[in-house]
Amino acid sequence: MSKNCNPFGKKCEQNTNYTAKEIVFKDKKAAPEFRVLNNSRHFLIKLKVDGCLLGEKIGVRKCDFLLLDCTDNKAFFIELKGQNLGDAIDQIKSTIPQLITKLLGFSFCCRIVQSKVFGARQQRYKRDLTFFLKTTFPDNSTKVNDLVRIESQKIIEQI
C-alpha cells in the first residue's frame, strides 16, 4: 500500500478508507456525479477544494474536488456542473495554479461532469483545456487521451 501523499493535511479529506473499492463525488447543487472504481486498490485521497482547500473566498474561481492517486502520482481536478461548461473550464484553469506548488511530482487530469452536454461546444472546450494542460505543464506524464474527460450526468473512472 502506498503512503499518504496528501500535501494539504487531513483537514479537507473526505474519505477515511483510502483503498476503498469505490469513491463517489457528488455536489448538493448539481445532479452530475463522478465515480471512481478502485479495483486495483490504489491509495486514493478525496479532497474538497471549494469551501475547504481554497476556502470561501468570494470571487476566487475553483473546482469542486481534487482526487489524489498516491499510487500513480496523479491529481484529478473535478468539477460537477449544471450547464455552463465554459465556467467549469475556467474554474479548473484557475484552481490548478493555486494548488500547483503543493502538487509537484503529480501529473494532472481534469474531469468535468455536467447535467447537459452540447456536442460541438464540448469538443471545443475539451481541446481548450487539453491545450492549457499541455502548454502550461509540458512535463505532465498523463497520456493526452487521459488528460480531459467531459461527460454528461456521470463519469465512471476505473483506476
Side-chain angles (χ1 to χ4, degrees):
M1 181 186 324
S2 299
K3 63 180 181 159
N4 188 330
C5 64
N6 182 359
F8 304 102
K10 292 195 174 276
K11 177 183 163 206
C12 297
E13 285 186 9
Q14 293 201 318
N15 63 317
T16 54
N17 183 357
Y18 300 110
T19 58
K21 267 190 114 155
E22 183 175 74
I23 299 175
V24 177
F25 297 76
K26 194 139 176 63
D27 192 3
K28 296 174 195 164
K29 299 177 269 182
E33 174 183 301
F34 178 74
R35 187 174 294 265
V36 175
L37 300 179
N38 187 16
N39 296 326
S40 300
R41 299 299 189 154
H42 285 203
F43 196 100
L44 304 176
I45 300 169
K46 175 183 178 182
L47 297 158
K48 180 83 171 131
V49 175
D50 191 0
C52 195
L53 278 183
L54 294 179
E56 297 284 345
K57 298 176 188 170
I58 306 283
V60 176
R61 304 183 63 72
K62 49 209 168 268
C63 66
D64 294 316
F65 296 99
L66 177 65
L67 172 68
L68 299 178
D69 181 340
C70 297
T71 305
D72 284 347
N73 290 329
K74 283 188 178 181
F76 292 83
F77 294 85
I78 301 161
E79 177 61 28
L80 306 173
K81 203 65 174 171
Q83 295 182 27
N84 192 336
L85 184 53
D87 195 37
I89 298 289
D90 290 343
Q91 287 174 258
I92 287 178
K93 286 168 99 175
S94 174
T95 302
I96 291 173
Q98 295 179 70
L99 300 179
I100 186 73
T101 58
K102 297 260 186 173
L103 296 172
L104 299 175
F106 283 87
S107 59
F108 300 150
C109 302
C110 301
R111 301 297 185 254
I112 299 171
V113 190
Q114 62 181 118
S115 55
K116 292 184 181 178
V117 174
F118 302 98
R121 245 190 271 166
Q122 175 189 353
Q123 291 306 314
R124 187 183 85 224
Y125 283 120
K126 183 176 180 178
R127 282 191 307 271
D128 176 51
L129 188 52
T130 300
F131 179 78
F132 168 77
L133 288 172
K134 285 173 35 180
T135 56
T136 308
F137 310 102
D139 295 334
N140 192 356
S141 63
T142 303
K143 296 178 204 155
V144 172
N145 293 342
D146 294 338
L147 283 176
V148 178
R149 282 183 65 191
I150 302 171
E151 304 286 340
S152 63
Q153 299 306 317
K154 184 187 283 189
I155 289 179
I156 298 175
E157 185 89 24
Q158 301 230 14
I159 293 181

